Amino acid sequence: MSTTGGTADPFAALGALPGVAESVESVRKAVDRVYGHRIMRRRSNEITSEAALRGARGSAALSGADWALEEVRRRTDFSGDDEARLVGAALRLTAEAGQLLSIWRQSPLRVLARLHLVAAADKAEQVGRPRRPGEPVDEPLIEQPLPDAAEVSGRLEGLAELIIAGSSAPALVTAAVVHGELLALRPFVSHNGLVARTAERIVLVGSGLDPKSVCPAEVGHAELGRTAYREAFDGYLSGTAEGMATWIAHCGRAVELGVRESTAVCEALQRGAA
């Protein structure tokens, strides 16, 4: 998606694509159901914590560290091999996301830089800023050609302007576009997938669709699988109405599966309290 030029509110235009309204409505109903669960009224903090853990596990799985949930829960040291460091990065990002909600609408580029800094956990010169000409990118899941650094800079600025201006589009549409655009640009030298999925979470939470952060889309993305993720992302890259609608619907389905996961947690807590 080009984020420069065109209509004043391209997010809203995407919301009018065929099939997108149905995805938006399906997600809204699913979210309403889990928020209406009686366990949510009494133990929402526990559901939020569990959703964060499961979301981080799902995002790490997509990036190549597919650990069992109990292994993620049990570990305290994530400084070992590459997979451990990847899981640690996903956990740190999930924890950090909630601290950045108030900044996102005013300074999304600052938030993205902070997310990369947190994910990399490194003081290297390339960390916390968009990549420069000639710098390589480590992102094995997404193999499509990289935009050059100048295009990345322009499109990031365009995306930031749209976020700051605000939109009448449904949260799902904005979240899907932010997620897709960051995957397309891969603006950092590493951890772009993790950052893109965390940004999607920030939009869903900050928009008010999922204010308690209990609908981890990352769980759904992992459950749908890497192949489906890449195929839906190809739709985003195509820029066609059909392709964009396919990507938005894929993200919507991921949110619904995240809702299902948290609903199961609610049911388990309810059984334990019975």
Side-chain angles (χ1 to χ4, degrees):
M1 174 191 179
S2 174
T3 54
T4 58
T7 62
D9 189 353
F11 291 133
L14 291 172
L17 291 175
V20 170
E22 290 82 354
S23 295
V24 168
E25 181 65 9
S26 182
V27 166
R28 186 192 63 78
K29 288 180 178 178
V31 172
D32 285 349
R33 283 195 298 272
V34 73
Y35 272 83
H37 198 289
R38 67 178 186 175
I39 287 292
M40 275 292 295
R41 294 193 290 270
R42 295 186 285 114
R43 302 175 70 174
S44 64
N45 287 343
E46 293 174 70
I47 309 302
T48 296
S49 295
E50 192 64 23
L53 182 72
R54 294 174 186 232
R57 192 217 73 82
S59 193
L62 275 176
S63 287
D66 192 1
W67 288 15
L69 179 63
E70 291 311 313
E71 176 65 10
V72 179
R73 197 191 304 280
R74 180 187 68 81
R75 280 286 190 105
T76 57
D77 180 9
F78 295 94
S79 62
D81 59 17
D82 287 346
E83 284 198 3
R85 286 191 290 272
L86 190 58
V87 174
L91 289 167
R92 290 192 300 274
L93 284 173
T94 302
E96 187 74 10
Q99 309 302 314
L100 299 173
L101 291 170
S102 63
I103 305 171
W104 174 254
R105 281 292 302 274
Q106 287 74 43
S107 187
L109 297 185
R110 179 181 163 197
V111 168
L112 293 174
R114 174 62 184 170
L115 291 175
H116 187 244
L117 187 66
V118 168
D122 191 333
K123 297 188 185 300
E125 192 270 336
Q126 303 97 325
V127 169
R129 61 151 175 83
R131 56 186 167 85
R132 293 174 182 161
E135 289 182 335
V137 174
D138 179 15
E139 190 59 51
L141 178 61
I142 305 301
E143 299 173 348
Q144 288 84 349
L146 279 168
D148 64 32
E151 181 180 352
V152 168
S153 178
R155 286 172 63 175
L156 278 178
E157 289 289 346
L159 182 63
E161 288 171 7
L162 291 173
I163 292 165
I164 292 166
S167 172
S168 61
L172 172 65
V173 173
T174 303
V177 171
V178 168
H179 182 171
E181 189 69 359
L182 292 174
L183 284 184
L185 296 178
R186 281 149 286 165
F188 303 109
V189 297
S190 64
H191 299 95
N192 289 289
L194 293 180
V195 168
R197 291 185 288 275
T198 304
E200 178 185 48
R201 172 187 284 265
I202 287 172
V203 174
L204 293 171
V205 174
S207 68
L209 176 67
D210 179 23
K212 294 183 184 294
S213 195
V214 298
C215 307
E218 305 96 322
V219 168
H221 286 303
E223 186 171 337
L224 291 166
R226 290 160 65 99
T227 298
Y229 187 75
R230 283 191 291 251
E231 289 175 351
F233 177 59
D234 281 340
Y236 179 88
L237 285 180
S238 76
T240 65
E242 182 181 3
M244 296 296 290
T246 296
W247 171 249
I248 293 167
H250 182 85
C251 291
R253 181 59 180 150
V255 175
E256 291 183 64
L257 290 170
V259 167
R260 188 177 72 178
E261 187 88 354
S262 287
T263 301
V265 172
C266 288
E267 294 294 332
L269 290 173
Q270 184 167 281
R271 288 193 298 272

